[in-house]
Amino acid sequence: MYDQPRPNESTHAMTYEQMLERVRYEGAYPTRERAEEAVRTVLGALGRQLTGDERVDLAQCLPVEAALSLTAQIPNTEQLTGWGFVKDQAARTHVGPAVARWDTGAVVTRLLGPDLLARILGRLLDGYALLFGQAQLRQPAYAAG
């Protein structure tokens, strides 16, 4: 049996304008246009990494305009680590890695509820938790002996 998509309980339905204003505030962007650029860039980059129910559920919790940025991208066949994601995003947008990392945090951190965020982090390779404002927990490596 397949899991049914679950609504994102912590994020109420918001308009695209409300979402941009939230991202503009969280990212301390000087203009709405800069916030919109960050939203399109980050969601497009996530669209190249996410597949399955997490991709569908993320698109469902976003305003239509934002969801289109996510779903317009074809997922890559090779997943990137969190650092690879930042480097790829920086190269595609011609900004430094610090800016790409900042944009990712500003867009993702407050838009996803904890359940969906945990599922998305479970789908992605290591290194995304810190980008998404979460602690990166690792299993301790034990020496053989």
Side-chain angles (χ1 to χ4, degrees):
M1 178 172 255
Y2 296 105
D3 285 336
Q4 294 296 315
R6 291 169 280 216
N8 188 0
E9 296 148 9
S10 72
T11 306
H12 63 281
M14 70 174 84
T15 67
Y16 187 59
E17 297 302 320
Q18 290 169 326
M19 183 181 133
L20 291 178
E21 186 55 32
R22 179 180 268 179
V23 169
R24 189 186 70 73
Y25 177 79
E26 291 294 329
Y29 297 115
T31 65
R32 178 189 172 281
E33 290 76 21
R34 178 62 184 96
E36 187 171 24
E37 178 184 327
V39 165
R40 282 194 319 266
T41 300
V42 170
L43 291 178
L46 279 175
R48 290 187 293 278
Q49 293 300 305
L50 283 176
T51 60
D53 289 341
E54 290 75 21
R55 179 183 173 100
V56 171
D57 291 351
L58 176 56
Q60 286 178 341
C61 79
L62 296 171
V64 172
E65 300 90 339
L68 290 173
S69 293
L70 176 83
T71 59
Q73 301 299 313
I74 297 170
N76 289 342
T77 57
E78 181 180 332
Q79 277 197 318
L80 300 173
T81 64
W83 175 238
F85 178 85
V86 167
K87 290 191 311 186
D88 182 63
Q89 186 179 337
R92 288 174 186 267
T93 58
H94 307 291
V95 300
V99 172
R101 186 194 180 296
W102 181 268
D103 288 350
T104 301
V107 172
V108 175
T109 302
R110 301 278 188 243
L111 295 179
L112 303 179
D115 292 339
L116 180 55
L117 181 57
R119 289 176 41 227
I120 288 172
L121 288 173
R123 171 74 74 164
L124 297 171
L125 298 178
D126 282 343
Y128 284 86
L130 290 175
L131 291 174
F132 295 174
Q134 302 293 303
Q136 177 77 46
L137 301 177
R138 294 180 176 260
Q139 295 292 333
Y142 296 102

